[in-house]
């Protein structure tokens, strides 16, 4: 074995297939636990010598153990085969760009190899002999092994790309000039998918950990590279900082030890003391440098960065890790299945204006992933970096982060369940804002109403049919010449009167704003540009001149929202317009920022900011494709560093302005997003199409943004571009009624798709599903309170509630509201039924209360065009309300409480209630909070906190699902009360007229 410092052989690396890299067979999890190191939770491991068990290191290449680990995983999965459902794989049914068919032969071989893995269980008794052979191979691999043998020994799934550049035909000469291995695979020459032909050898030079010293919060170390890497200006000395911030949060930062580098200006919590009982342990490899993070309870290895070299150049930073499983989520914004494919895929993070398309980098950047481990635990990793980035996934399973600036600033969240991971993530980036109650109602918009009167007619038609609607929106056609802070004096001359009418009916008005400010008006004729120029708040070129691009109004300048002075300019513009049109919310679009010119009307500089040594896999192949120059100057830094932050910074300025103008909770919906965006805005999923597959893609999109801490999210219902059909729009309205943010929106020159545009059957179905949403608003509002207070998700993937059920890991055609309500939409044309998966337990039909007891199975359910299947989970209590035509009308109506009894006849629920619009009601104590409980045939309502709002509301009906025997009598606060009982075991107690502000009890005997 080659001399050097290695990881301890005692590490329990066989806990998952993610650890099956180049090494021999390790001990089982929990065996031979390592002793204390230099710091609690960490240690440096001295060199390991035979006959110690095999160590984890890039220098040891053993494909046999990779098979053995996969075998272990397959065996664990088989315990779930009693569920008549396939083991989850990433969804491929709607793939637009590529088909599974036609995979390169090397990938087909890999798939065949995986299928064969299970056969090895038959010969489990031979593994010890195989392991001894493997140890001899590894022992000899470092002594006299030829370069070809050394390279060939690296298993295909563990080949980390040494030449990730695109638009380059990677030859043997180019590859070996970097000191890397070159082995052709049976795939088209130059293909960017599949096993890389050029990959790192086991002994590729990396950094050395030269020192490691204890600090109050953890440790600080010095890394040194002795051999230069192949990207220019690689940094010889790096500083490693490790902080044990909490028992479930670890913070690791790697940066230049001698010169400052750009860091994201995000407010993050600062630990005051070191974690006392961390659930993780951290270990280091000295040479080559690497770290290994594992979960103490299970021994599962969560990160192992020794598998490929660390590269840290000025404009190329790369670090790789093995993953403990293939169940990876997050890393947005992309159009993909909720569960990512690790089959040699690359996810690029660089905000871009483009209709959502598979494989493209989209509007936002979220460098965070959630990973489900074996046996149901979960962890998350957040890279706090705003530069252009890509994340390469491969089937080892493994992941490589590549970014072209900033620092490597990682937060790792240990959960241990997925709900807790997301809460811990939001403790760092900030919890989402509490939306106004009306923001959870139904919103209607289109580009192409043409006039304010035409807009008004739609509002009146919705009222005429008594279809619920809270907000009317306008797209850019309300503006004069598409210029911000204007409205067309001829076509939209009655806009102020329309807004006044909305307010009289308890409704609201939201308008669009783009960041591009028209620059072509005569001096003195357009205050936003003139004043912005005078104050110097626009983004500049490298020469210090205002950068001019082109968007909807023509030539435009772009506000620099990293400049504090821009906030005041933005506020004054909004205030001036609000005096004419008293809008209630703002829709900020085109804020990647989008530019119809690549860079500017004058192009971009020839320097390395606009033409870096490495360009991630961005759409268009250039950082300036359909956006401003990366070299553009902003107040806080170059646009190169700030591009992905533009939407966040605009949202922050917009929310601040709305608060100052209206004095109430702001409603802001933004297209471009970044971590912490939920504190200031919601998000819609962009310019989708009126296609069935687009409706499906919206579900994983909504689920992903709930991971990202932006729960106020939805897609354009019925699709933005293209022509919808009555069937598609009806089904989509049924799904969209359960988006946290529910808005129907379409483009100009297409058939209308608002709820009154279709025949009576579709119109009635849409009305009924919107009334269902409005009935559930108290429950939905309470979910948003939990999101605001604790970081809970609102729209929730099934595996969050059932992490032990591996079948749920790939489900993204169903979702939950909170933990309680299961939504199963129809996502295909021409059907009157739908198949849904029901995790183990009792589920009740929301509408009827009829129960089904699932062992964990898929069921086919009737789904006529006027019906969406909703099921209530056992053990929960839902607060609902008699629905009205607006949220304001609904909020004054009586409540109906639905208790869905568990198998032990208990249930629990809660309700948060306030005035729906005031700022910081929870923080100021101006709210009511109630807890509902059922136990031993008694329903109780307990008021834990009260304000005047609860005195206006009464509880009129209690429905109890799952009452197994008909009661002989029912009492309310000790007094006998009439009731009804149905054969499907539903007990209903009506005409209660109980004031919500007073506790009460209802007993059935």
């Amino acid at each position: 074995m080659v001399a050097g410092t290695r990881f301890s052989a005692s590490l329990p690396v066989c806990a998952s297939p993610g650890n099956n890299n180049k090494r021999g067979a390790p001990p089982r999890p929990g065996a031979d636990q390592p002793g204390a190191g230099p710091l609690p939770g960490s240690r440096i491991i001295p060199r390991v010598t035979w006959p110690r068990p095999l160590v984890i290191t890039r220098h040891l290449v053993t494909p046999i153990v990779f098979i053995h680990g996969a075998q272990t995983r397959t065996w664990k999965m088989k315990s779930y085969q009693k569920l008549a459902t396939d083991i989850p794989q990433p969804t491929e049914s709607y793939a637009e760009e590529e088909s599974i068919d036609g995979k390169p032969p090397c990938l087909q071989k890999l798939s065949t190899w995986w299928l064969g893995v299970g056969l090895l269980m038959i010969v489990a008794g031979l593994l010890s002999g195989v392991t001894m052979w493997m140890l001899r191979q590894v022992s000899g691999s470092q002594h006299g092994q030829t370069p070809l043998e050394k390279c060939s020994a690296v298993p295909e799934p563990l080949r980390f790309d040494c030449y990730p550049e695109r638009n380059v035909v990677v030859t043997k000469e180019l590859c070996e000039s970097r000191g890397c291995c070159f082995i052709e695979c049976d795939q088209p020459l130059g293909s960017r998918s599949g096993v890389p032909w050029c990959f790192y050898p086991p002994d590729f030079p990396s950094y050395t950990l030269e020192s490691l010293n204890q600090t109050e919060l953890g440790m600080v170390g010095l890394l040194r590279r002795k051999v230069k890497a192949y990207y220019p200006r690689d940094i010889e000395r790096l500083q490693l900082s490790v902080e044990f911030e909490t028992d479930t949060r670890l913070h690791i930062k790697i940066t230049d030890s001698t010169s400052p580098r750009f860091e994201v200006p995000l407010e993050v919590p600062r630990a005051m003391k070191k974690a006392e009982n961390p659930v993780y342990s951290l270990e280091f490899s000295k040479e080559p440098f690497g770290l290994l993070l594992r979960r103490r309870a299970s021994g599962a290895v969560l990160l192992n960065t020794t598998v490929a070299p660390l590269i840290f150049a000025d404009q190329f930073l790369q670090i790789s890790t093995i993953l403990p499983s293939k169940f990876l989520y997050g890393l947005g914004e992309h159009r993909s299945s909720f569960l990512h494919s690790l089959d040699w895929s690359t996810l690029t993070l660089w905000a871009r204006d483009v209709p959502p398309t598979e494989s493209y980098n989209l509007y936002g950047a979220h460098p965070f992933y959630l990973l489900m481990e074996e046996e149901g635990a979960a962890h998350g990793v957040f890279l706090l970096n705003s530069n252009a980035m890509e994340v390469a996934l491969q089937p080892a399973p493994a992941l490589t982060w590549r970014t072209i600036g900033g620092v490597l600033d990682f937060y790792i969240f240990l959960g241990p369940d997925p709900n807790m991971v997301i809460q811990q993530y939001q403790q760092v980036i900030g919890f989402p804002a509490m939306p106004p109650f009306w923001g959870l109602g139904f919103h209607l918009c289109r580009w192409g109403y043409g006039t304010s009167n035409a807009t008004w007619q739609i509002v009146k038609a919705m009222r005429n049919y008594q279809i619920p609607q809270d907000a009317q929106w306008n797209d850019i056609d309300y503006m004069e010449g598409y210029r911000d802070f204007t409205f067309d004096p001829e076509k939209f001359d009655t806009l102020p009167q329309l807004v006044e009418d909305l307010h009289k009916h308890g409704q609201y008005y939201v308008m669009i704003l783009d960041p591009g400010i028209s620059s072509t008006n005569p001096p003195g004729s357009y205050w936003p540009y003139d004043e912005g120029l005078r104050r110097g708040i626009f983004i500049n070129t490298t020469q210090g001149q205002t950068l001019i691009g082109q968007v909807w109004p023509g030539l435009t300048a772009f506000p620099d929202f990293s400049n504090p002075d821009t906030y005041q300019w933005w506020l004054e513009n909004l205030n001036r317009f609000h005096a004419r049109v008293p809008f209630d919310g703002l829709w900020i679009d085109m804020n990647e920022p989008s530019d119809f010119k690549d860079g500017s009307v004058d192009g971009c500089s020839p320097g390395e900011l606009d033409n870096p040594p490495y360009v991630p896999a961005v759409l268009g192949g250039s950082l300036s494709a359909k956006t401003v120059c990366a070299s553009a100057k902003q107040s806080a830094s170059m646009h190169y560093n700030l591009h992905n932050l533009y939407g966040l910074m605009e949202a922050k300025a917009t929310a601040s302005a709305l608060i100052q103008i209206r004095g109430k909770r702001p409603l802001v919906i933004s297209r471009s997003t970044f971590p912490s965006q939920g504190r200031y805005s919601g998000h819609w999923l962009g310019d989708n199409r009126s296609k069935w597959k687009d409706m499906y893609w919206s579900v994983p999109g909504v689920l992903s943004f709930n991971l990202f801490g932006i729960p106020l999210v939805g897609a354009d219902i019925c699709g933005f571009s293209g022509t919808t059909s009555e069937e598609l729009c009806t089904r989509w309205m049924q799904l969209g009624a359960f988006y946290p943010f529910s808005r129907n929106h379409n483009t100009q020159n297409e058939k209308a798709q608002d709820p009154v545009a279709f025949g009576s059957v579709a119109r009635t179905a849409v009305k009924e599903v919107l009334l269902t949403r409005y009935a559930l608003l108290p429950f939905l509002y309470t979910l948003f309170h939990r999101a605001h207070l604790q970081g809970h998700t609102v729209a929730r993937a099934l595996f969050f509630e059932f992490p032990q059920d591996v079948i749920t890991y790939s489900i993204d055609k169903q979702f939950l509201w909170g933990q309680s309500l299961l939504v199963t939409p129809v996502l295909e044309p021409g059907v009157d039924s739908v198949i849904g998966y029901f995790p183990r337990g009792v589920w009740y039909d929301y509408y009827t209360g009829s129960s089904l007891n699932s062992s964990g199975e898929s069921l086919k359910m009737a789904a006529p065009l006027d019906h969406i299947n909703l099921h209530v989970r056992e053990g929960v209590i839902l607060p609902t309300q008699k629905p009205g035509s607006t949220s304001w009308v609904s909020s004054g109506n009586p409540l109906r409480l639905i208790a869905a009894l568990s198998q032990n006849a208990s249930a629990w629920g809660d309700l948060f209630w306030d005035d729906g619009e005031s700022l910081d009601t929870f923080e100021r104590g101006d709210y009511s909070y109630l807890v509902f409980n059922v136990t031993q045939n008694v329903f109780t309502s307990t008021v834990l906190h009260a304000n005047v709002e609860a005195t206006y509301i009464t509880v009129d009906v209690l429905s109890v699902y799952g009452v197994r025997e008909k009661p002989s009598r029912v009492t309310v606060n000790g007094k006998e009360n009439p009731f009804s009982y149905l054969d499907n075991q539903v007990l209903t107690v009506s005409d209660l007229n109980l004031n919500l502000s007073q506790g009460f009890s209802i007993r059935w005997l």
Side-chain angles (χ1 to χ4, degrees):
M1 181 173 181
V2 171
T5 305
R6 302 285 185 264
F7 284 111
S8 168
S10 63
L11 296 177
V13 294
C14 65
S16 70
N19 305 312
N20 301 309
N21 57 346
K22 318 165 186 80
R23 60 186 182 275
R28 294 182 57 81
D32 189 22
Q33 295 297 321
L39 286 175
S42 69
R43 61 176 180 158
I44 300 179
I45 307 302
R47 175 183 176 186
V48 179
T49 56
W50 303 113
R52 292 285 299 277
L54 192 60
V55 302
I56 306 172
T57 171
R58 288 190 295 112
H59 290 275
L60 304 181
V61 182
T62 315
I64 295 298
V65 176
F66 181 83
I67 296 174
H68 177 263
Q71 185 179 31
T72 303
R73 174 178 61 185
T74 304
W75 178 259
K76 290 185 178 180
M77 285 184 174
K78 284 188 177 292
S79 66
Y80 294 93
Q81 290 304 307
K82 58 186 176 183
L83 310 182
T85 309
D86 291 337
I87 295 299
Q89 298 295 335
T91 302
E92 301 286 354
S93 58
Y94 289 91
E96 193 172 57
E97 301 302 314
E98 298 178 337
S99 168
I100 291 178
D101 296 328
K103 284 193 299 183
C106 59
L107 296 186
Q108 295 173 354
K109 288 190 294 183
L110 178 60
S111 301
T112 304
W113 178 84
W114 271 106
L115 290 174
V117 157
L119 298 176
L120 293 180
M121 291 304 299
I122 302 172
V123 292
L126 301 177
L127 285 179
S128 59
V130 172
T131 301
M132 290 306 297
W133 172 86
M134 177 186 58
L135 294 180
R136 288 194 295 270
Q137 296 298 108
V138 171
S139 179
S141 68
Q142 303 297 324
H143 298 283
Q145 193 177 42
T146 68
L148 179 59
E149 291 172 336
K150 177 178 62 178
C151 293
S152 300
V154 180
E156 288 185 351
L158 282 165
R159 292 179 180 176
F160 290 86
D161 200 344
C162 177
Y163 218 113
E165 282 81 355
R166 280 137 188 95
N167 302 318
V168 175
V169 176
V170 181
T171 64
K172 187 173 187 291
E173 291 72 23
L174 284 175
C175 179
E176 291 182 350
S177 71
R178 293 187 170 184
C180 292
C181 298
F182 185 85
I183 298 179
E184 293 186 17
C185 182
D186 296 333
Q187 62 190 52
L189 184 66
S191 171
R192 298 311 309 170
S193 61
V195 181
W197 293 13
C198 182
F199 56 93
Y200 295 107
D203 56 355
F204 191 91
S206 185
Y207 284 85
T208 299
L209 178 60
E210 292 198 330
S211 65
L212 192 64
N213 298 306
Q214 186 171 352
T215 66
E216 290 185 0
L217 298 177
M219 60 193 75
V220 62
L222 180 65
L223 310 180
R224 181 167 170 259
R225 175 174 277 281
K226 300 176 182 177
V227 179
K228 281 191 169 294
Y230 47 83
Y231 284 106
R233 298 184 304 282
D234 62 336
I235 298 170
E236 179 185 358
R237 295 180 180 274
L238 302 175
Q239 177 176 291
L240 167 70
S241 171
V242 177
E243 294 184 351
F244 302 97
E245 295 194 338
T246 73
D247 289 345
T248 55
R249 185 174 81 225
L250 176 65
H251 186 190
I252 300 173
K253 182 189 290 187
I254 302 174
T255 187
D256 191 332
S257 65
T258 58
S259 300
R261 294 179 61 83
F262 175 79
E263 298 189 25
V264 180
L266 185 68
E267 297 176 9
V268 294
R270 298 299 179 188
M272 304 306 294
K273 64 176 183 178
K274 187 192 305 180
E276 296 180 356
N277 297 293
V279 300
Y280 50 84
S281 66
L282 183 65
E283 300 172 0
F284 299 90
S285 168
K286 183 178 180 181
E287 186 174 13
F289 165 74
L291 57 86
L292 184 142
L293 177 70
R294 63 186 177 91
R295 188 181 298 279
R296 286 187 180 276
S298 65
V301 177
L302 310 184
L303 298 176
N304 176 2
T305 70
T306 66
V307 292
L310 166 66
I311 297 179
F312 201 119
D314 184 39
Q315 290 182 275
F316 186 89
L317 291 70
Q318 176 177 279
I319 191 169
S320 302
T321 180
I322 288 291
L323 301 172
S325 86
K326 65 180 180 180
F327 300 114
L328 181 78
Y329 312 84
L331 297 172
E333 179 176 6
H334 299 93
R335 168 172 284 197
S336 70
S337 56
F338 187 47
L339 173 63
H340 284 301
S341 168
L342 272 62
D343 192 11
W344 302 106
S345 60
T346 298
L347 303 172
T348 306
L349 282 63
W350 184 247
R352 171 67 195 267
D353 173 8
V354 61
T357 305
E358 294 89 317
S359 79
Y360 288 178
N361 49 296
L362 302 182
Y363 310 108
H366 293 272
F368 166 80
Y369 70 77
L370 170 75
L371 190 137
M372 292 299 296
E373 305 161 25
E374 301 288 338
E375 302 178 359
H379 71 273
V381 176
F382 171 41
L383 173 55
L384 181 51
N385 182 295
S386 61
N387 290 92
M389 180 188 307
E390 64 188 17
V391 183
L393 307 175
Q394 60 194 78
L399 174 152
T400 296
W401 299 92
R402 296 189 195 106
T403 184
I404 60 172
V407 302
L408 296 177
D409 192 1
F410 289 101
Y411 288 86
I412 301 98
F413 311 98
L414 275 291
D417 67 63
N419 287 292
M420 295 179 70
V421 170
I422 301 306
Q423 293 176 56
Q424 291 157 11
Y425 174 45
Q426 291 177 83
Q427 287 170 2
V428 171
I429 65 171
F431 295 130
M434 186 68 184
F437 192 64
W438 65 267
L440 305 184
F442 176 65
H443 302 248
L444 188 57
C445 181
R446 81 166 297 171
W447 179 18
Y449 285 126
T451 69
S452 53
N453 285 337
T455 309
W456 208 339
Q457 288 304 313
I458 293 295
V459 173
K460 291 176 180 178
M462 292 284 286
R463 292 175 190 159
N464 181 56
Y465 286 107
Q466 297 183 321
I467 300 175
Q469 181 189 2
D470 261 79
Q472 181 61 50
W473 296 40
N474 275 124
D475 209 315
I476 58 175
D477 49 329
Y478 80 88
M479 300 177 183
E480 184 179 15
Y482 298 139
R483 293 189 296 275
D484 281 350
F485 314 113
T486 69
F487 65 92
D488 191 309
E490 296 180 1
K491 296 180 180 179
F492 280 81
D493 57 317
T494 59
L495 184 57
Q497 291 75 36
L498 165 60
V499 175
E500 181 182 4
D501 179 67
L502 288 169
H503 291 166
K504 286 181 178 178
H505 287 82
Q507 295 173 300
Y508 300 84
Y509 181 70
V510 180
M511 65 182 196
I512 194 171
L513 279 179
D514 294 339
I517 301 298
S518 175
S519 63
T520 59
N521 304 278
S525 65
Y526 185 49
W527 193 85
Y529 179 72
D530 294 337
E531 190 63 15
L533 204 60
R534 188 185 71 81
R535 300 188 191 186
I537 56 86
F538 293 123
I539 294 177
N540 288 330
T541 66
T542 53
Q543 289 77 34
Q545 303 299 314
T546 300
L547 184 145
I548 301 298
Q550 181 179 334
V551 202
W552 294 114
L555 299 183
T556 54
F558 297 89
D560 176 7
F561 289 103
S562 76
N563 184 345
D565 295 338
T566 306
Y567 279 52
Q568 182 62 30
W569 169 86
W570 193 244
L571 169 63
E572 291 176 21
N573 277 290
L574 288 169
N575 214 359
R576 288 158 61 97
F577 191 74
H578 190 269
R580 303 170 65 196
V581 180
F583 55 85
D584 303 290
L586 288 169
W587 169 23
I588 51 176
D589 191 10
M590 307 290 287
N591 54 350
E592 291 74 31
S594 177
D595 185 354
F596 297 164
K597 298 288 185 180
D598 288 350
S600 77
V601 294
D602 297 317
C604 299
S605 76
E608 288 196 331
L609 291 177
D610 293 304
N611 304 279
Y614 181 80
V615 178
V618 298
L619 177 63
S622 166
L623 298 183
S624 62
K626 302 308 177 192
T627 190
V628 303
C629 299
S631 60
K633 293 182 179 179
Q634 297 188 234
S635 175
S637 185
M638 311 304 289
H639 191 73
Y640 183 90
N641 296 319
L642 299 176
H643 173 81
N644 281 337
L645 299 171
Y646 194 88
L648 168 64
M649 291 178 169
E650 186 192 16
K652 188 175 181 180
T654 304
S656 174
L658 273 174
I659 290 171
Q660 294 179 69
I661 292 169
R662 299 182 69 245
K664 299 175 181 178
R665 280 178 229 165
L667 179 75
V668 180
I669 299 296
S670 175
R671 191 167 75 177
S672 187
T673 59
F674 190 78
S676 81
Q677 187 99 15
R679 298 171 60 184
Y680 312 106
S681 84
H683 173 63
W684 97 104
L685 296 173
D687 297 339
N688 59 3
R689 304 165 186 86
S690 296
K691 296 183 179 180
W692 288 90
K693 64 179 180 179
D694 284 62
M695 177 167 60
Y696 156 69
W697 287 123
S698 72
V699 179
V702 166
L703 293 176
S704 291
F705 272 86
N706 273 264
L707 300 187
F708 301 149
I710 308 176
L712 188 64
V713 60
D716 281 349
I717 297 171
C718 301
F720 173 70
S721 64
T723 300
T724 190
S725 67
E726 186 166 313
E727 181 191 12
L728 171 60
C729 198
T730 302
R731 292 300 195 190
W732 207 329
M733 281 295 303
Q734 290 170 343
L735 167 61
F738 295 92
Y739 293 154
F741 167 64
S742 182
R743 183 187 70 164
N744 180 313
H745 177 228
N746 74 329
T747 189
Q748 60 183 351
N749 303 321
E750 293 288 355
K751 185 173 70 174
Q753 61 186 39
D754 50 81
V756 300
F758 299 105
S760 60
V761 174
R763 187 171 60 244
T764 300
V766 168
K767 177 180 177 178
E768 287 303 312
V769 77
L770 287 177
L771 287 171
T772 300
R773 178 187 179 89
Y774 274 64
L776 286 161
L777 283 182
F779 172 54
L780 182 60
Y781 193 60
T782 301
L783 293 179
F784 269 95
H785 168 67
R786 294 182 192 160
H788 170 63
L789 192 64
Q790 298 172 316
H792 289 197
T793 54
V794 174
R796 188 171 301 174
L798 271 68
F799 72 80
F800 271 57
E801 294 299 316
F802 302 93
Q804 300 299 323
D805 185 350
V806 72
I807 304 301
T808 64
Y809 288 11
S810 66
I811 292 177
D812 58 8
K813 296 183 179 180
Q814 297 171 274
F815 58 94
L816 293 159
W817 266 12
Q819 63 177 359
S820 308
L821 186 67
L822 178 61
V823 182
T824 307
V826 172
L827 301 173
E828 299 173 356
V831 300
D832 59 5
S833 63
V834 65
I835 295 175
Y837 180 74
F838 290 83
R840 179 181 296 275
V842 177
W843 297 87
Y844 297 92
D845 185 293
Y846 168 79
Y847 308 99
T848 67
S850 297
S851 66
L852 66 89
N853 194 337
S854 174
S855 62
E857 54 200 303
S858 295
L859 299 175
K860 185 176 182 179
M861 298 169 286
L865 188 60
D866 62 351
H867 182 74
I868 182 172
N869 280 275
L870 304 175
H871 289 84
V872 185
R873 184 181 179 184
E874 65 170 303
V876 305
I877 299 173
L878 299 183
T880 71
Q881 197 162 33
K882 181 181 177 180
S885 58
T886 67
S887 64
W888 181 81
V889 172
S890 296
S891 65
N893 288 341
L895 294 177
R896 176 196 177 202
L897 305 177
I898 300 174
L901 299 185
S902 67
Q903 296 177 68
N904 64 4
S906 64
W908 185 94
D910 62 346
L911 172 65
F912 176 84
W913 200 250
D914 60 12
D915 68 8
E917 63 178 10
S918 294
L919 296 164
D920 303 324
T921 56
F922 178 81
E923 291 78 4
R924 293 185 290 103
D926 190 13
Y927 67 95
S928 295
Y929 181 70
L930 298 88
V931 170
F932 309 117
N933 188 64
V934 174
T935 183
Q936 297 181 343
N937 296 347
V938 178
F939 179 101
T940 58
S941 173
T942 305
V943 181
L944 297 184
H945 195 280
N947 75 337
V948 67
E949 296 298 328
T951 64
Y952 306 142
I953 309 298
T954 60
V955 176
D956 192 49
V957 178
L958 170 66
S959 296
V960 186
Y961 296 168
V963 178
R964 296 175 185 173
E965 298 181 0
K966 181 178 180 179
S968 59
R969 64 191 182 100
V970 172
T971 63
V972 179
N973 290 333
K975 297 181 180 180
E976 196 159 332
N977 202 82
F979 67 94
S980 66
Y981 182 81
L982 301 179
D983 291 342
N984 63 345
Q985 301 183 343
V986 175
L987 168 67
T988 302
V989 188
S990 304
D991 301 321
L992 293 171
N993 197 31
L994 297 168
N995 194 282
L996 187 64
S997 65
Q998 302 293 321
F1000 61 86
S1001 65
I1002 299 175
R1003 180 186 300 269
W1004 52 97
L1005 303 170

